[in-house]
Amino acid sequence: MKKILITGASGQIGTELTTYLQSVYGHDQVVASGRHDDIRHHAIYEKLDVLSAVQLIEVIRKHQIDSVIHLAAILSAQGEKNPEALWQINMNGLYNVLEAAKETSAAVFTPSSIAAFGPETPLDHTPQLTIQRPRTIYGISKVAGELLCDYYHHHFGVDTRGVRFPGLISHEALPGGGTTDYAVHIFYKAIETGQFSCDLGPETFLDMMYMPDALRAVVELMEADPAKLQHRNAYNISAMSFSPSQLAKEIQKHLPEFRMDYDVNPVKQAIADSWPNSLDDSCARAQWGWRPEYDLSAMTSHMLKVLGSRSR
Ligand code: SER
C-alpha cells in the first residue's frame, strides 16, 4: 500500500486506523472519508458517500489511491432494526467500492466478521472453511460480501483481501450498534461508576480482539505476498475468547469494587448465541504470519490504564 483511502473513517475502526496508517505510511498518504463533514480527523479528508460509485472513482483518481480500506457499514444489532438500510449501505456500498476498484486498479480490504457464521456452524475452533448460514441481515451481508470480493478477484483481477474480525475492544471511538459492544462499554462504566449492566448473559462466549492487533492485521494482510494467500475473503483471525462473567472477574483484579448485573437484551442474546465461541485462525497464521499480541489480561490492564488516566 502506498496511498490509501479509508471509507467509514469516523467509526470505531476507522478512527484509529487512520492514525495508525499515517504512522506507518506517512501523514499525507492516507485519505480519510465519510458521509459527514469532518469533525474528528487530523488527516486529509473527503466527504464521500459510498452509495455513489462515481464519487468513489473521482476521489480515488484525485488522490491517486492504490488501496481502499472499506469500513463504512451498519453493525449487527442496529441492522436488525432496519434491514433495508443495512442492505443499502453494506451491500451496495461494497458493490460500488469493488466497481470503483475494478475501474481504477485499486486493491480493496474490507472486513468480514464472526457474524458470517450461524447456528449450524461448529461453535468451537470454527474452521476457516465451514457452514455459513447466518441468521442476521448483517451476517448475510458479510457472507455475500466475502463471495462478492472473491468474485471480483477471480473474474476481474481486483486485489481483494479481508479478515473475519471478532468483537473489537478499543478506547478511542465507541462501537455503534453491535452485539459485542458490551465488551467496550463495560470498561467506560467500570471507570466512571464502578458498575455495569450487561445486555448479554454471563456465560455468553464470543471471540474478541484488542484494537492494536486488529490494526496490525489490516496492514500485515495487505502487505502479505499474494502468492501465499489461498483464502483472500476472508481469513479467520482470533486473539481471545471470553464470557461477560470472565471479563468482569478480570476487571475486578484491578478494581475490586466493580459490580456487574445482567439485563439481557433478547435480540442481542439470540445473535450472540448463533455466533462461534472461538475461531480457528491457523490459515491466517500459516499464510501471512498472523499472531495476536494481546490476551484478556493484557487487554484489560491496558484499557483500564488508558481510560483511568483520562478520567483523572
Ligand atoms: N462487532 C460486530 C457486531 O457486534 C461483529 O462484527 O455487530
Side-chain angles (χ1 to χ4, degrees), residues 182-243:
Y182 91 86
V184 178
H185 295 304
I186 190 173
F187 285 101
Y188 284 83
K189 288 287 181 190
I191 299 278
E192 284 164 16
T193 66
Q195 55 186 33
F196 179 64
S197 185
C198 187
D199 57 14
L200 295 180
E203 302 312 323
T204 310
F205 279 84
L206 287 168
D207 245 314
M208 299 279 179
M209 182 176 290
Y210 197 31
M211 189 61 86
D213 278 335
L215 303 179
R216 202 166 42 75
V218 174
V219 169
E220 288 178 4
L221 176 58
M222 290 307 279
E223 296 297 348
D225 176 358
K228 295 194 174 145
L229 302 179
Q230 290 168 24
H231 304 281
R232 288 171 163 268
N233 305 287
Y235 281 92
N236 282 1
I237 57 170
S238 180
M240 61 190 99
S241 170
F242 57 75
S243 64

